[in-house]
Amino acid sequence: MAVIFHENTQTFHIYNQYVSDILYIMQNGQIENLYYGRVINDKEDFSYLHEEVMRSQMSVCIPEPGLLSMHYVKQEYPVYGTGDYRSPALTIRQKNGSEIVDFKYESHEIFSGKRPLKGLPAVYTESGEEAETLEIKLHDSVINADLILSYTIFRDYPVIIRNARILHKGTAEIRLEGMMSASVEFPDMDYEMLQLSGAWGRERYIKTRKLEMGIQSIQSLCGTCSSAEQNPFLALKRPDTTEDAGEVFGFSLVYSGNFLAQVEVSTFDMTRVMIGIHEQGFSWELNCGEEFQTPEVVMVYSDKGLNGMSQTYHRLYRTRLMRGKWRDSARPILLNNWEATYFDFTEEKILQIAKKAKEVGVELFVLDDGWFGTRNDDYQGLGDWFVNTDKLPDGIAGLSRKIEEMGLKFGLWVELEMVNKNSDCYREHPDWLIGVPDRFESFARHQHVLDFSRPEVVDYIYDAITKILDESRISYIKWDMNRYMTEPFCRTEKPENQGKTMHKYILGVYDLYSRLTERYPEILFESCSSGGARFDPGLMYYTPQTWTSDDSDAGERQKIQYGTSLVYPIVSMGAHVSAVPNHQLFRKTPLSTRANVAYFGTFGYELDLNLLSEAEIEEVKEQICFMKKYRHLIQVEGDFYRIRSPFKGNETAWIVVSRDKTQAVAAFYQRLNKVNASWLRMNFKGLDEKMLYEVKWDDHILRAYGNELMYAGIPIDREALNKKGGDFASILYTLEAVQQ
Ligand code: GLA
């Protein structure tokens, strides 16, 4: 790993054993990208990669006889109005109304490790040797501001992390109207753009399209979150790239609010990727001495296909984005009462459900929505963080003690950013809502957004919730957030600062997360947002797991978990076995399949176990034993490989393999059963070709070499699928290396 500055040729080479990024200080002082991709040897001179040619209608930005025209060079941080007619990464409006800037190279700094970002989540290093950072300082002498472009390269990963920061040193106020985290350019357009798109109940489906000239983009304007509709991620892959081979470039934004991820192809076939905070509703005044920091973007290069890219994100995010006690630990097997009771519970009912959970081997009981204020339905109570003693006479303190006395840990649901108008909180502080005073305040699920851009609101919520947490025995928090923002407006801010509201809201959310996770380092936090609308790397910095979707149907979950695994480690995916008929789809799936899907996540139950038959309870006990045996491999130690895509056919398959390749757990799932079906094989991945494995599934045991299992595969046992009910049946395989 190295960051090298070749003074003679004014070139930076950022590289490790996998990837190279080569930057060049152009004649006009701006930075060009000469190359980004698979590692190439370092040398003094890459100047031949800078291309200039006389073209009709070109605008030249240096004195004659020059040919440098910004429309035709691959830039590191493009701006508007000086001859580049593509979209800019930075827009600064000045006092005189001009948006023209000219940031020229001034100096640079290279240091080991990586610095934290103020107020923002970010990937971190644990020692200086893990990474090296280059910061290039550019300066605009007219407005007197510095632009700092930051690049961190990791020693062990094909990863470069970028962000940008602006420091205003001049006296005249300037206004940021848009500032991307990074802009990356490629010399050709032979790529497909891959994105994770969806909606409530069907989050993060994989969508791919061929790049065309012009702009293609995804975005969130939801304000409170990165959204269920689009995830803050895109990848460019070559058309012939598969799961296991070929090139992919991934871009993942560590942010939970409004974002834009855009690919623009010029009519000269150049491809520009930009990602960062969306400029809609964003306008940030900077006064003398003030700074603005963008979120960071984690760029992964893979020449080992999509699985290669995903495994890099998984390892990096699991070990250098997640933090705290739970980072390297297998997660407790939980039971959540939401689908068991919804709002309709008493302490007695909760204790009955918990008792049965304890009997089967569950470790953590989670009390979901409905325990506070007058929260007997979703019309009321949000904002009132005191216990409803009609339902829970001894409070959360009493209930958590009783649950712990049973031998279970206790977890609690909260939704701290929201308020119902029917609540004491709203009646006392009607002006705490996000919303424009003289306009209708749109609502969603009968609730409104508290203005977390205001520190006094965050402080109030912090005080209210820490009171409950301090007096109770809480081991887990499910932090929900169930609506998107409307009428974004802060009632206490000046008109010129309204464009800060949505970003400041997210900073307020991060602030509360920081304070609570620091104060309660033992608590396992799980984030949630109407299911999976906030499944992003920003939140992963605070919460090592996220509720993946409210859709708990095992068939649908295969798609959701498969898509989510493109970027996010499977240990981050909240996954539960729920009742049948499923509450979202009214579909019946075998109990074995519901567990076989949930094993590849955090694993838990979301139903009243008292309603299961004795045979089913015995099956649940076996499932819990299985997960206790294999969860360290699945959640912490293993590498996850996608084998068959639910987006491409009737079957899904995947595998987790230990680092030393001696152990693996794999699963095969089908949607509809087939009569007189074609032959089909399970071809494993990630095994050691020469190792001999003992493979077990249902009541079969087979000894086979890794190469046999990967290339010849095991025929799918149709009879076994029929016996398990046919539709939505599945097979779970365990593999252990044995002496040859
Ligand atoms: C959201 C969550 C659910 C549940 C309910 C409670 O929809 O995604 O899991 O917690 O809220 O109101």
Side-chain angles (χ1 to χ4, degrees):
M1 160 190 71
V3 178
I4 298 192
F5 182 53
H6 297 294
E7 182 118 32
N8 290 338
T9 52
Q10 297 286 287
T11 314
F12 296 96
H13 191 182
I14 308 164
Y15 67 98
N16 62 15
Q17 56 180 309
Y18 310 104
V19 63
S20 277
D21 197 7
I22 303 176
L23 320 179
Y24 168 61
I25 306 168
M26 290 184 285
Q27 229 185 315
N28 68 348
Q30 294 181 24
I31 311 291
E32 178 180 11
N33 186 279
L34 293 181
Y35 174 75
Y36 172 49
R38 191 184 176 126
V39 61
I40 54 180
N41 281 358
D42 185 47
K43 69 188 205 351
E44 180 83 24
D45 190 5
F46 291 102
S47 60
Y48 67 95
L49 291 171
H50 172 84
E51 293 170 272
E52 280 180 23
V53 63
M54 184 65 189
R55 294 181 194 270
S56 149
Q57 287 187 320
M58 70 193 271
S59 311
V60 177
C61 64
I62 51 169
E64 291 193 73
L67 280 182
L68 184 60
S69 178
M70 301 313 280
H71 197 63
Y72 308 100
V73 283
K74 296 188 281 101
Q75 299 166 59
E76 280 299 290
Y77 208 71
V79 295
Y80 164 77
T82 54
D84 182 357
Y85 301 99
R86 296 166 289 170
S87 301
L90 177 69
T91 305
I92 300 181
R93 184 172 297 279
Q94 296 141 58
K95 222 34 195 173
N96 66 359
S98 154
E99 287 184 354
I100 305 307
V101 290
D102 184 10
F103 283 96
K104 292 182 187 303
Y105 172 82
E106 194 177 84
S107 62
H108 69 267
E109 186 191 354
I110 297 170
F111 55 90
S112 46
K114 180 175 186 291
R115 293 177 186 150
L117 301 189
K118 214 169 139 225
L120 284 167
V123 171
Y124 58 90
T125 52
E126 289 199 331
S127 76
E129 294 91 66
E130 288 180 11
E132 216 169 336
T133 300
L134 163 69
E135 286 196 353
I136 303 177
K137 191 204 279 184
L138 305 144
H139 184 72
D140 182 302
S141 55
V142 174
I143 55 176
N144 191 12
D146 293 338
L147 170 66
I148 296 108
L149 304 181
S150 167
Y151 303 78
T152 298
I153 180 132
F154 278 75
R155 183 190 55 200
D156 299 329
Y157 300 106
V159 169
I160 293 176
I161 300 186
R162 288 185 56 182
N163 72 72
R165 168 168 106 238
I166 195 149
L167 171 62
H168 186 33
K169 302 194 288 198
T171 44
E173 149 218 320
I174 58 173
R175 183 169 282 280
L176 291 179
E177 301 285 7
M179 186 168 181
M180 291 287 113
S181 295
S183 175
V184 180
E185 299 206 37
F186 299 88
D188 71 283
M189 60 172 286
D190 189 22
Y191 291 103
E192 287 171 354
M193 170 175 159
L194 187 149
Q195 66 201 55
L196 299 175
S197 303
W200 176 87
R202 51 181 173 85
E203 295 91 343
R204 290 170 298 285
Y205 280 17
I206 299 174
K207 299 281 168 194
T208 311
R209 56 176 132 171
K210 188 178 161 351
L211 288 189
E212 290 296 348
M213 286 176 186
I215 288 177
Q216 35 259 290
S217 69
I218 52 164
Q219 64 184 34
S220 164
L221 293 178
C222 299
T224 50
C225 62
S226 46
S227 88
E229 281 70 21
Q230 306 292 353
N231 198 255
F233 162 79
L234 71 78
L236 292 186
K237 64 183 268 293
R238 294 294 184 187
D240 56 1
T241 294
T242 63
E243 279 290 341
D244 306 302
E247 283 198 305
V248 198
F249 295 87
F251 303 87
S252 164
L253 186 68
V254 186
Y255 190 58
S256 314
N258 288 352
F259 73 87
L260 173 71
Q262 175 173 298
V263 183
E264 180 168 8
V265 180
S266 81
T267 51
F268 293 85
D269 293 358
M270 294 158 72
T271 299
R272 174 180 287 176
V273 177
M274 284 202 297
I275 190 162
I277 295 176
H278 202 293
E279 62 181 35
Q280 177 69 43
F282 174 86
S283 176
W284 200 280
E285 183 185 293
L286 275 184
N287 293 305
C288 185
E290 287 179 350
E291 211 176 62
F292 185 82
Q293 170 69 61
T294 69
E296 67 182 23
V297 50
V298 178
M299 312 198 310
V300 168
Y301 168 73
S302 167
D303 56 4
K304 297 185 178 56
L306 292 167
N307 268 325
M309 175 192 73
S310 302
Q311 287 176 359
T312 300
Y313 277 121
H314 293 179
R315 285 181 198 167
L316 186 75
Y317 283 178
R318 198 190 66 67
T319 62
R320 291 294 178 268
L321 182 62
M322 290 181 187
R323 298 173 301 159
K325 172 182 167 184
W326 291 99
R327 186 186 79 174
D328 301 321
S329 311
R331 307 295 161 75
I333 295 169
L334 65 80
L335 184 137
N336 177 305
N337 75 307
W338 178 241
E339 289 194 11
T341 65
Y342 295 102
F343 294 106
D344 181 20
F345 59 82
T346 57
E347 187 185 81
E348 198 190 337
K349 195 164 175 186
I350 291 297
L351 290 173
Q352 262 172 22
I353 295 173
K355 186 163 175 270
K356 195 73 183 172
K358 173 64 190 165
E359 255 172 61
V360 297
V362 164
E363 297 159 316
L364 166 70
F365 176 84
V366 178
L367 180 63
D368 211 278
D369 197 356
W371 58 266
F372 50 90
T374 55
R375 185 77 171 167
N376 296 318
D377 51 43
D378 57 13
Y379 286 84
Q380 53 191 324
L382 279 178
D384 292 345
W385 298 109
F386 47 85
V387 77
N388 178 336
T389 43
D390 291 342
K391 283 181 179 172
L392 305 174
D394 297 329
I396 291 297
L399 177 64
S400 61
R401 186 177 34 80
K402 291 176 200 173
I403 298 273
E404 284 212 341
E405 279 164 8
M406 281 182 184
L408 288 164
K409 296 285 181 197
F410 181 77
L412 194 63
W413 178 98
V414 294
E415 188 174 359
L416 302 175
E417 300 154 64
M418 297 290 152
V419 70
N420 288 115
K421 284 198 168 172
N422 187 358
S423 69
D424 291 352
C425 177
Y426 176 76
R427 284 183 282 271
E428 278 160 37
H429 304 286
D431 60 329
W432 278 6
L433 253 54
I434 291 267
V436 189
D438 47 359
R439 299 206 179 266
F440 183 71
E441 287 152 346
S442 307
F443 55 89
R445 208 190 178 197
H446 327 290
Q447 64 194 54
H448 296 264
V449 183
L450 284 174
D451 190 348
F452 266 40
S453 75
R454 292 164 59 180
E456 71 274 22
V457 178
V458 177
D459 287 346
Y460 170 91
I461 295 293
Y462 176 77
D463 290 342
I465 199 63
T466 49
K467 190 168 176 298
I468 294 274
L469 299 184
D470 286 344
E471 69 188 24
S472 314
R473 302 183 186 180
I474 312 273
S475 302
Y476 161 106
I477 293 280
K478 176 177 172 188
W479 178 324
D480 211 340
M481 193 292 294
N482 283 316
R483 67 158 294 188
Y484 298 166
M485 198 185 286
T486 49
E487 295 84 35
F489 187 85
C490 172
R491 290 166 205 257
T492 48
E493 266 301 352
K494 294 183 287 188
E496 56 271 31
N497 284 337
Q498 290 302 333
K500 293 183 173 176
T501 305
M502 287 197 269
H503 181 54
K504 278 178 68 183
Y505 175 89
I506 292 294
L507 296 181
V509 172
Y510 290 153
D511 176 48
L512 188 58
Y513 264 111
S514 289
R515 289 156 72 179
L516 291 176
T517 49
E518 272 161 35
R519 182 168 169 151
Y520 304 103
E522 300 292 315
I523 292 184
L524 170 60
F525 282 80
E526 174 159 340
S527 79
C528 174
S529 171
S530 304
R534 237 187 201 173
F535 210 124
D536 59 59
L539 264 261
M540 201 162 285
Y541 183 68
Y542 305 98
T543 75
Q545 55 192 62
T546 302
W547 183 227
T548 317
S549 176
D550 276 343
D551 191 342
S552 60
D553 172 79
E556 298 312 295
R557 270 303 186 109
Q558 289 162 35
K559 286 187 188 157
I560 297 167
Q561 292 176 206
Y562 188 100
T564 305
S565 80
L566 249 286
V567 186
Y568 306 102
I570 58 172
V571 66
S572 64
M573 295 183 212
H576 301 169
V577 173
S578 61
V580 288
N582 173 266
H583 291 197
Q584 294 78 39
L585 276 165
F586 311 101
R587 179 187 278 154
K588 286 189 180 171
T589 52
L591 180 54
S592 55
T593 296
R594 283 175 271 152
N596 288 349
V597 174
Y599 290 145
F600 295 85
T602 57
F603 197 69
Y605 292 82
E606 182 125 357
L607 75 178
D608 184 350
L609 293 165
N610 293 300
L611 304 178
L612 300 193
S613 68
E614 260 177 48
E616 286 171 322
I617 285 293
E618 287 314 306
E619 197 175 336
V620 166
K621 284 183 186 163
E622 281 168 27
Q623 292 171 351
I624 291 176
C625 284
F626 173 87
M627 193 55 183
K628 285 180 180 167
K629 179 167 178 201
Y630 287 102
R631 65 181 154 183
H632 194 264
L633 163 69
I634 293 174
Q635 298 178 342
V636 183
E637 199 204 328
D639 284 321
F640 181 75
Y641 297 78
R642 291 174 297 270
I643 299 177
R644 274 180 183 270
S645 170
F647 298 104
K648 293 198 173 138
N650 193 50
E651 294 84 19
T652 303
W654 51 47
I655 186 169
V656 176
V657 186
S658 67
R659 276 295 169 86
D660 64 3
K661 314 254 183 213
T662 59
Q663 241 198 344
V665 177
F668 169 91
Y669 315 86
Q670 70 172 3
R671 291 181 79 75
L672 299 187
N673 205 14
K674 289 181 176 165
V675 69
N676 196 13
S678 315
W679 306 120
L680 187 63
R681 288 190 181 181
M682 173 74 173
N683 291 83
F684 296 82
K685 281 187 186 173
L687 304 176
D688 184 320
E689 295 201 346
K690 302 220 161 63
M691 254 183 217
L692 183 66
Y693 293 90
E694 186 164 272
V695 190
K696 292 187 183 162
W697 71 99
D698 299 322
D699 42 16
H700 300 276
I701 298 184
L702 173 81
R703 285 197 168 202
Y705 287 97
N707 50 16
E708 240 180 294
L709 293 166
M710 292 193 289
Y711 312 134
I714 299 183
I716 292 296
D717 182 350
R718 296 278 183 192
E719 268 314 299
L721 293 174
N722 291 342
K723 276 194 211 135
K724 292 177 195 179
D727 292 353
F728 299 99
S730 59
I731 302 173
L732 186 71
Y733 304 85
T734 58
L735 292 85
E736 305 276 346
V738 288
Q739 291 298 332
Q740 317 211 353

